[in-house]
Amino acid sequence: MRDLADVIEFDDFLETPKGGYRAVHMQVRGANGISAEVQIQPQTIGRVQDRVHGAIYVKWRHKAKLTAEDMVEREADLRRMEDVYERAWREFNESSADRSPSPESPGAKRPEPGSGSPVRRPPEESTAARAETTADPLPDVDVPVGERIDADGRRVVETRPAAEAIAEDDDAAGGGDVLLPAGTFTITTVTVPGAVRLRGQGSLTTVLQSQVADKVVTFSGDRAGLAGLTLDGVNLVSGSTGLYAKAIDQTRLQDVRVRRFDVGLHAQGGRQALWVDLVISNCNTNGKLHGDLDASGDSGGDSFVDNLWIGGLCEQALTTGIDLSYVDRPVWRNTIQKVGFEDNTGIAMNVNGARWTAMPGCWFSGNTTNLAVDDDDDTDAAAENTVIGLHVSDAEVSGGTMSFAGTCQDAVFDRVNLSDVDVTLTLPKNNIVLRDCIEDADVTIAGDGTKWTRRRTMYDDPPASAGTTADATATKAWSVAIDPGQVGLIRAAVTANQTDGEGYGVYHICRHIRRPGAELGYDAQTANFTVGAVLTGATSGATAIIVADSDSGVSGTLTVRDIVGEFENNEIITDDSGGSAAANGTLSEQDVTLLGATTNISAATESAAGMGADFNANGAEVEIKVTGEASKTYEWVVAAQVVVD
């Protein structure tokens, strides 16, 4: 090409693939000065390029602003594009190999184990794995691991035992795929190094069985992965774990099944994983996805953050399906998308102290408990282990129960269909918001039902709670918890509609509120505290902002707000301006107060005198109470807006 024209730009995507795409691109300029682009690519790549380009690349090229859900969808599309190109590349390699002399043909030398990059092969078509009784030992299976040109100029595929390939084809060789053939094989334990992926011929075709009370497959480096295989513990051996990773980032799972272990998958920390079409089934605990330092071990664990699981199932767990839990490190910004939770005994999805968890497109069916949400019980770590930001969207929940407790801040269900679900609200601090959801007549609400609020986008209204009255007694219909030191305003629109008659009521009301700061006594003061400074407990690690100090010399009382954690009696407390003393007791919190009188934004309209809606202070909460008529049934809807600081 250089003899015919000047090559002014050259990109070798064979050497360095881009999103799986492999070709050579050149920008050339002829003698007449006209430039042209030349693409040289394998025929198999060319056949799929138009389809991939049109379906995926063009789809996102002109989209200027991406939402969080767009980004998840685009990532999945790009992974699919890479997979299509990789299959085309494997097909090209296979056809090239078919045209080359076999290592067993006359005149060819039998290859010695080599160390080149793994050679990928297309999967064999199969609908089921071999019977378990015919399992073969994995170390006796030779797998292709590289290729070379022999002395006669012929291409030779090199092989080595699978166990050796996994152990040696690691980061030093640039990583790659170690291919396993179809079949069912017995193993004990396997360690997969960083950047190496153990790849079978499909999760229904390649099965690795192990009955050891240990970690069967361990990822030991970033970007380790599995694809196209099943890990089978056979009979739930106590102490067995199918797949284990500690503080391993960017793990890759695709078309993987894990079944019949004590614990199916255990991650003690890890970041930026991508799991596609992962099925975990029939374990005591299907998945432990933990922010866990492993303090009782080598303290080598980590936070579990920014991970993505797209497609698959969590099914038939005997105790817990997925345990997404804070142990002693944050569990933040994880997405489980289009994953089904089916037929799990116990809790299908446990969210313990996790923050900003997204579950778009998931479904729950046949579970004892579909979803359990609560803060972690380590109150000293409340700055990072309370539930904030749970978003379940475009989902189905059928049968079973759901429970909510603790902070539950920004817990939102969007476009979710709930049928025959029993919901328990164990004094969650914040409202659970259902936006554009459907609940059938068999959905029940137990506990503090005022925290189960609904809204419709078409009305652009705030979340609303609903309930009934059958007498003339003031009844709690809505509530919100106010933190110490907060001040604000609440306005509410309230409607009443009689179900056994034509009675009605409409109210639009407003009230100002304030909750005084919490008080903390101190003694043995060695330096004065400063109002506006940040107070810290030396033992508990709790923090707060000092808003007042009643100083009597060596003792006194602090008033604080913005409290995180729980101060302990007799611990040393200091502020960031040098103040120091010992805590004398624990925090004493004061009740919320209503300021002024209730204002009618518009005049009340009601069919009977004595009906009404008004605000009420009850401990830490501000409530809205409604009053109907004796011996008459009214449905009430309360939509309230809260502004606090």
Side-chain angles (χ1 to χ4, degrees), residues 117 290 613:
S117 300
H290 290 173

Side-chain angles (χ1 to χ4, degrees), residues 85 92 228 266 442 508 514 572 580:
Y85 278 135
F92 172 72
H266 187 188
D442 295 322
H508 196 188
R514 178 177 181 265
I572 299 300
S580 181

